């Protein structure tokens, strides 16, 4: 019996020697895997003489600007709907299996009847014989590697090259967290070994994906980390940043976003709070990150906020930065006292 990947290969090759267009649709807000997968697939198809376009909802993020051949992507706008509806013969969803994840391109994708899916996210429905959804795969890029390998076998043409190698390994590195997440598979290491033959600059890829930082971000981080306060048992940790200080560093509000998670990584810390002035007097935004013992969402809900058990947020009004910081320290410490009382674990 044919594999589903083989079905997709057959569908692709049925369009060879025609002028039909293949549309490639990664999910909204394409990350390293979605973009790396989509773009490597597009380059592979074009190298076989097929017509293929990669359609995105938005420009690639700053972090991904280093990827090769980004000038080849199409940022979709609704005025392209009619033109693409008429020209795309075959649509392939990559790193997603639902049209709702495609933003403005949803209508276009749904309007094309000949469709395939290549994805690794958890799914519920059966999407048919042209859907390869492998939840055990490290990344969609891992599946695109297998697809390209199969295309090479079928056509007896060389497809892999340095650009494709960089795009695929960027996808694998992103979705395995540099080979540290449980999603890391033996297969992706085998693929990495093959891709290294094209001499990708791994140091540069890692720098771009994980290390590149701007001076204001480092200055801001220094300010936040140097202002850390802890409860006597070190389980609650807080820091705060005034508007004036934020502006002094030259950083932007969103540069604070990763810092509460970093504060939480400290050994022994159960919950981390980062408080900031939003620029309106006595309005304080609070980000909460917690470990096993502390329900961040339940805490935030008490103050009109919300979120997830381990990551939540809230906005306090009519309170100064210092007062708010003292308040969350006091209240969270009280909750953890109860949580870790004798008799509990
Ligand atoms: Mn992915």
């Amino acid at each position: 019996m044919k594999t589903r990947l083989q079905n997709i290969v057959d569908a692709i090759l049925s369009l060879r020697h025609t002028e039909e267009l293949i549309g490639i649709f990664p999910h909204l807000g394409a990350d390293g895997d979605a973009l790396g997968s989509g773009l490597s697939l597009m380059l592979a198809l074009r190298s076989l003489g097929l017509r293929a376009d990669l359609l995105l909802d938005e420009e690639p993020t700053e972090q991904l600007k280093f990827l090769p051949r980004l000038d080849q992507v199409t940022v979709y706008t609704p005025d392209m709907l009619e033109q693409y509806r008429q020209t795309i013969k075959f649509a392939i969803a990559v790193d997603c299996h639902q049209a709702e994840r495609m933003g403005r391109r949803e209508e276009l994708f749904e309007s094309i009847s000949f469709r395939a899916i290549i994805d690794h996210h958890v799914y519920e429905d059966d999407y048919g014989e042209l859907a390869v959804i492998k939840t055990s795969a490290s990344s969609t890029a891992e599946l695109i590697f297998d697809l390209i390998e199969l295309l090479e076998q079928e056509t007896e043409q060389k497809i892999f090259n340095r650009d494709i190698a960089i795009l695929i390994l960027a996808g694998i590195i992103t979705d395995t967290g540099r080979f540290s997440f449980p999603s890391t598979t033996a297969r992706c290491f085998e693929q990495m070994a093959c891709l290294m033959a094209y001499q990708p600059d791994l140091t540069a890829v890692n720098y771009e994906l994980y290390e590149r930082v701007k001076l204001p971000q480092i200055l801001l981080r220094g300010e936040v980390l140097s202002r850390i306060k802890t409860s006597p048992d070190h389980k609650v940790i807080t820091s705060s940043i005034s508007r004036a200080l934020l502006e002094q560093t030259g950083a932007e509000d969103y540069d604070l976003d990763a810092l509460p998670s970093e504060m939480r990584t400290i050994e022994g810390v159960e919950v981390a709070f980062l408080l900031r002035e939003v620029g309106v007097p006595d309005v304080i935004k609070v980000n909460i990150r917690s470990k096993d013992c502390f329900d961040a969402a339940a805490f935030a809900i008490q103050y009109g906020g919300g979120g997830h058990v381990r990551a939540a947020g809230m906005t306090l009004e009519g309170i100064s930065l210092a007062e708010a910081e003292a308040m969350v320290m006091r209240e969270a410490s009280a909750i953890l006292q109860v949580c870790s009382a004798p008799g509990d674990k």
Side-chain angles (χ1 to χ4, degrees), residues 207 213 249:
Y207 173 75
V213 69
T249 63

Side-chain angles (χ1 to χ4, degrees), residues 196-308:
M196 290 306 285
Y198 300 94
Q199 301 185 310
D201 186 342
L202 273 189
T203 307
V205 171
N206 272 290
Y207 173 75
E208 296 290 348
L209 287 177
Y210 291 99
E211 291 164 8
R212 178 192 283 282
V213 69
K214 295 199 167 79
L215 180 62
Q217 296 169 324
I218 285 285
L219 295 176
L220 180 68
R221 184 163 167 261
E223 296 293 353
V224 166
L225 298 183
S226 68
R227 281 176 172 67
I228 281 178
K229 297 188 176 80
T230 68
S231 59
D233 58 7
H234 289 201
K235 287 183 178 172
V236 185
I237 182 174
T238 66
S239 185
S240 62
I241 190 112
S242 67
R243 202 73 211 160
L245 201 51
L246 177 74
E247 284 167 8
Q248 200 181 307
T249 63
E252 301 291 339
D253 242 293
Y254 56 75
D255 293 323
L256 287 164
D257 293 349
L259 295 174
S261 297
E262 183 176 1
M263 290 164 62
R264 172 178 56 185
T265 61
I266 297 169
E267 190 176 31
V269 165
E270 288 295 340
V271 58
F273 293 89
L274 179 60
L275 298 90
R276 71 182 87 167
E277 288 178 335
V278 298
V280 180
D282 291 340
V283 177
I284 309 298
K285 187 173 165 188
V286 185
N287 288 103
I288 313 169
R289 296 291 182 275
S290 65
K291 290 183 187 150
D292 297 339
C293 221
F294 193 92
D295 187 338
F299 188 89
I301 287 166
Q302 294 180 78
Y303 300 94
H308 305 284

Side-chain angles (χ1 to χ4, degrees), residues 6 8-17 22 48 50 150-151 154-155:
Q6 183 71 52
I8 295 179
V9 166
D10 291 349
I12 289 168
L13 294 179
S14 74
L15 299 177
R16 264 189 121 183
H17 314 299
I22 299 174
L48 293 174
L50 287 147
L150 207 49
L151 282 168
E154 293 277 322
T155 61

